[in-house]
Amino acid sequence: MSNEHGLHARPAARLVGLVNGFDATVTLTDLDTGRGPVDAGSLSMVATLNAQQGHRLRVGASGAQAAEVLAAITKLAGENFGDTAGGVGAGAAGGGAPEPGTGGSAGTGGSGLDVAIGPAVLAGVAVDLSGYVAGDDELGQLDQAVATVGDELRGLRDGSPDHGEIFAAHLALLNDRKPLEEIRAAITAGTPAPVAWKQTYDELAAAFEGLDDAYQRERAQDVRAVRDRVLRALTGSATDEPTSAGAAPDSAAEGSILVVPELDAATAATLDAGRVAGVAVRAAGTTGHGVIVARSRGIPLITGIGDVEVPAGVVVAFDARVGSFEVAPDEDAVRATIAERRGERERALTRADEPATTVDGRTIGVLVNVGAVQDAVAARGADGSGLVRTEVLFGDRRTAPTVDEQVEQFRAIARALDGKPITIRTWDIGGDKPLPFLPQDREANPFLGERGIRVFRRRPELLRDQLEAVRRVAAETPVHVMFPMVTTADEVAWGLHELDDLGPRPDGLEVGIMVEVPAAALRIATLAIGLDFVSIGTNDLTQYTTAADRTNTAVAPLADGLDPAVLQLIDHVVRNAGVRVAVCGDLASDPQSAVLLAALGVEELSAVGPQVPLVKARLRQAVLSEVDTAAVLAARDAAQVRGLL
Ligand code: PEP
Ligand code: MG
């Protein structure tokens, strides 16, 4: 197996497609792991074999066309299973290269408000099988449900240019031979169709979850999505899934409020912002990547509504600014608030391009966080980008982007921001951010493991390519580059060495680090020597200061960026860095917190796009000298800090 990333989704789909065209039974065994033999005609079986580059595979074939299929497989293997070096990724069943600029998000388009009203659409709840009555023709029921879902998925695939590959992958999972055979056998033995379907797809999801590779593990989410679609078709349950971009028009009412237990990044990226009025997340926490993606798209969002009972279809409303969520609210009152906030937003937008100069004369840079070129295109009034999340920009790639491809995307971002400075963060993977093209080992505590710059000390090649792309773009337009998850002075020295080893720095290229680890904040005076700036990642700095995993909803209330302990570290950084201090974590997107950060001495804030005009507007009204920073830093908790703002 010579493919750089092993038999991952796309070559696996090619192999399975080829095998199924012959009258033969074909098996695959990974001789290096001992796994197998598995049915080579089943995508899920081949994918869960998880054969990696360098592994030796044994192919077995029997049946009328055994010789022919072996010859065809040998030829396909000779062609690297259709993978071209540096080729771009696609979903399991094909699909094209992502359009430049989509970066895995369905664009912006949300209202950008923090208040919303609409009928509730419940998602992420288990399909209820209890009322299902098995009939005489369970196999017929299954065939019909699979056909219906197949039509749905083809419609979604063809109607969704940016996300067609997701639905193409779902189609491949739906029509996978091996699970279907198992399910049909169970039904023939007397098991009702939904029970048989659920059992097999649950097992399949568990098989994906058991894989070492983080990207492959995440595919369990796709298996569960297909499982639930078919269960809904079998039981006749209403479609209560999130409204995806390109979804059939009846899948959710226009302007509905999506109520979900948690919000994952894929759902947030594919929601149709034109049709979802807002998202209410039961779990607390504002710094998970799903929440970040939704906010950057301007989708009204509230988190932490808890287990309040929400009947499907009933009108609900929320106001994230005051933290309220109501079932059957006073609709006139909510609409009045919406009108007021819209007015406030429009006023902020008319002055978006003016600098954010406070009443007492300090001008704060307000920049935009970018995870897709579209974020930069849609940003209004941003003084540049204070954070380009490169791992998000290329997050849907199965193979590493080339230097040229990176240059093209960085250029597009700089162009969209009229040549204002862009701050490119080098690959920040690990923790909850797997990159398909850089498989990582399973770790007991991934957030405390190989994340950010740590990953590349063992594998510098990818970082060097990225730094080369940064250098090339920096020769054309103002660029800053920063390393994430830095802890020690050695890491800073190593990062600078990797950069400078490529040649003299282009004029104007500024170099910095992110401050996300308490140790880095505490010894910032040492770390910042030789740097041009530091940028505080309050999302991670908060999780590490409070020892509260940002993805664990049970401890989310602890991970509050306004915790005085976090603010004390920010204050320490401002006083001791000796270079420009920026904040690019979520805290910078909240207008009230932005004023506090500026009062503490932060010079630059980078916020999600829709918040940029509002942050600027709030700063223009602020008198920084009147903010009682001493009281804030001495406060007993985040609640008391809020009371002081
Ligand atoms: C942060 O940690 O605050 C940050 C900006 O990085 P990310 O959210 O991408 O981890
Ligand atoms: Mg971070």
Side-chain angles (χ1 to χ4, degrees):
M1 163 104 280
S2 60
N3 294 53
E4 191 182 353
H5 302 285
L7 207 46
H8 68 85
R10 189 162 68 156
R14 290 222 176 79
L15 175 67
V16 171
L18 179 136
V19 165
N20 286 333
F22 288 86
D23 180 11
T25 303
V26 181
T27 60
L28 275 186
T29 307
D30 185 329
L31 296 175
D32 288 270
T33 60
R35 273 200 291 262
V38 300
D39 179 354
S42 163
L43 178 63
S44 53
M45 292 298 106
V46 175
T48 52
L49 189 64
N50 202 24
Q52 302 289 323
Q53 184 184 28
H55 286 196
R56 292 159 305 137
L57 295 180
R58 184 173 60 216
V59 185
S62 61
Q65 293 187 295
E68 289 90 334
V69 78
L70 281 178
I73 292 173
T74 308
K75 182 163 176 283
L76 186 67
E79 293 160 359
N80 239 5
F81 291 88
D83 256 7
T84 49
V88 295
E99 291 292 315
T102 59
S105 146
T108 52
S111 66
L113 300 180
D114 46 13
V115 54
I117 187 167
V121 171
L122 311 183
V125 282
V127 181
D128 182 11
L129 304 184
S130 62
Y132 185 82
V133 181
D136 297 339
D137 184 17
E138 288 296 278
L139 280 178
Q141 293 292 331
L142 175 77
D143 290 343
Q144 203 179 331
V146 169
T148 305
V149 171
D151 287 345
E152 266 171 40
L153 290 173
R154 271 184 289 276
L156 290 167
R157 179 195 60 194
D158 301 340
S160 173
D162 292 351
H163 300 284
E165 75 274 17
I166 296 174
F167 301 112
H170 287 194
L171 254 178
L173 283 167
L174 174 75
N175 293 314
D176 198 1
R177 188 168 87 183
K178 184 76 173 25
L180 275 173
E181 275 169 11
E182 251 178 62
I183 293 161
R184 297 181 83 82
I187 293 175
T188 308
T191 310
V195 176
W197 180 270
K198 182 169 182 318
Q199 188 170 339
T200 298
Y201 273 75
D202 278 349
E203 281 166 15
L204 193 52
F208 274 93
E209 265 157 10
L211 296 176
D212 288 338
D213 181 79
Y215 174 74
Q216 287 278 49
R217 276 204 301 278
E218 288 214 336
R219 305 285 57 78
Q221 226 173 22
D222 296 327
V223 176
R224 283 193 290 268
V226 173
R227 176 197 66 190
D228 291 349
R229 235 175 228 285
V230 173
L231 289 180
R232 280 196 296 268
L234 277 167
T235 56
S237 344
T239 304
D240 53 7
E241 64 186 314
T243 308
S244 297
D250 61 347
S251 61
E254 178 124 0
S256 45
I257 303 279
L258 183 68
V259 182
V260 286
E262 291 181 339
L263 186 62
D264 62 277
T267 301
T270 53
L271 279 174
D272 185 344
R275 299 177 345 157
V276 173
V279 181
V281 186
R282 292 191 182 277
T286 55
T287 57
H289 286 101
V291 170
I292 289 172
V293 170
R295 294 184 72 207
S296 71
R297 298 185 55 211
I299 298 171
L301 176 98
I302 188 165
T303 60
I305 66 164
D307 50 13
V308 53
E309 203 184 318
V310 183
V314 163
V315 172
V316 297
F318 64 78
D319 182 346
R321 194 173 301 182
V322 298
S324 68
F325 178 85
E326 280 183 282
V327 178
D330 173 347
E331 296 193 22
D332 288 344
V334 178
R335 289 189 207 287
T337 310
I338 290 177
E340 188 190 304
R341 299 277 166 86
R342 199 169 277 141
E344 174 191 273
R345 185 166 182 77
E346 277 157 15
R347 283 191 297 281
L349 279 169
T350 57
R351 297 190 57 194
D353 290 326
E354 295 173 27
T357 305
T358 64
V359 174
D360 44 354
R362 262 191 55 211
T363 299
I364 308 297
V366 183
L367 297 84
V368 63
N369 289 350
V370 169
V373 177
Q374 182 59 29
D375 293 339
V377 172
R380 297 280 312 275
D383 301 320
S385 171
L387 170 62
V388 177
R389 287 185 165 99
T390 54
E391 69 288 345
V392 177
L393 192 60
F394 295 102
D396 52 4
R397 297 286 302 257
R398 311 293 193 268
T399 51
T402 61
V403 174
D404 285 346
E405 286 168 331
Q406 294 186 65
V407 167
E408 190 193 330
Q409 294 277 304
F410 298 155
R411 245 187 221 146
I413 292 168
R415 249 196 324 260
L417 292 168
D418 297 329
K420 293 178 188 133
I422 61 168
T423 309
I424 298 170
R425 174 173 74 184
T426 59
W427 302 119
D428 185 21
I429 68 162
D432 62 339
K433 287 191 271 197
L435 261 191
F437 54 82
L438 186 53
Q440 284 188 279
D441 295 337
R442 198 185 267 272
E443 297 176 301
N445 291 299
F447 277 111
L448 301 179
E450 284 195 297
R451 281 194 76 191
I453 195 170
R454 300 173 183 185
V455 174
F456 298 94
R457 298 207 65 180
R458 278 202 295 137
R459 299 195 50 178
E461 330 76 58
L462 278 175
L463 180 67
R464 280 194 200 129
D465 272 3
Q466 187 163 62
L467 292 173
E468 184 54 41
V470 164
R471 285 167 42 81
R472 277 204 219 159
V473 182
E476 305 167 3
T477 186
V479 170
H480 308 161
V481 65
M482 62 185 180
F483 300 99
M485 269 302 282
V486 167
T487 310
T488 66
D490 264 1
E491 287 171 345
V492 179
W494 179 79
L496 295 180
H497 173 263
E498 289 301 303
L499 175 67
D500 292 331
D501 217 29
L502 297 171
R505 288 184 206 172
D507 282 347
L509 174 62
E510 294 193 7
V511 185
I513 57 167
M514 289 195 68
V515 181
E516 312 182 85
V517 178
L522 291 168
R523 56 165 155 254
I524 195 65
T526 315
L527 297 194
I529 293 169
L531 298 179
D532 300 302
F533 70 98
V534 300
S535 184
I536 304 177
T538 48
N539 303 334
D540 278 313
L541 185 62
T542 304
Q543 88 162 336
Y544 294 125
T545 303
T546 59
D549 177 344
R550 66 196 263 189
T551 64
N552 183 342
T553 57
V555 294
L558 278 174
D560 190 325
L562 286 179
D563 186 313
V566 178
L567 299 174
Q568 284 172 35
L569 286 173
I570 295 173
D571 180 57
H572 179 84
V573 172
V574 170
R575 289 175 190 280
N576 295 283
V579 294
R580 184 176 77 245
V581 176
V583 169
C584 63
D586 189 63
L587 208 55
S589 296
D590 171 46
Q592 211 53 26
S593 306
V595 171
L596 171 60
L597 292 169
L600 287 171
V602 171
E603 290 164 76
E604 224 178 68
L605 301 166
S606 196
V608 293
Q611 289 297 100
V612 167
L614 294 173
V615 168
K616 281 184 136 182
R618 182 69 193 83
L619 285 166
R620 284 192 210 104
Q621 296 162 355
V623 185
L624 298 183
S625 55
E626 284 177 3
V627 179
D628 189 351
T629 51
V632 163
L633 294 172
R636 78 185 286 275
D637 55 24
Q640 204 174 75
V641 171
R642 285 198 170 81
L644 289 164
L645 295 182

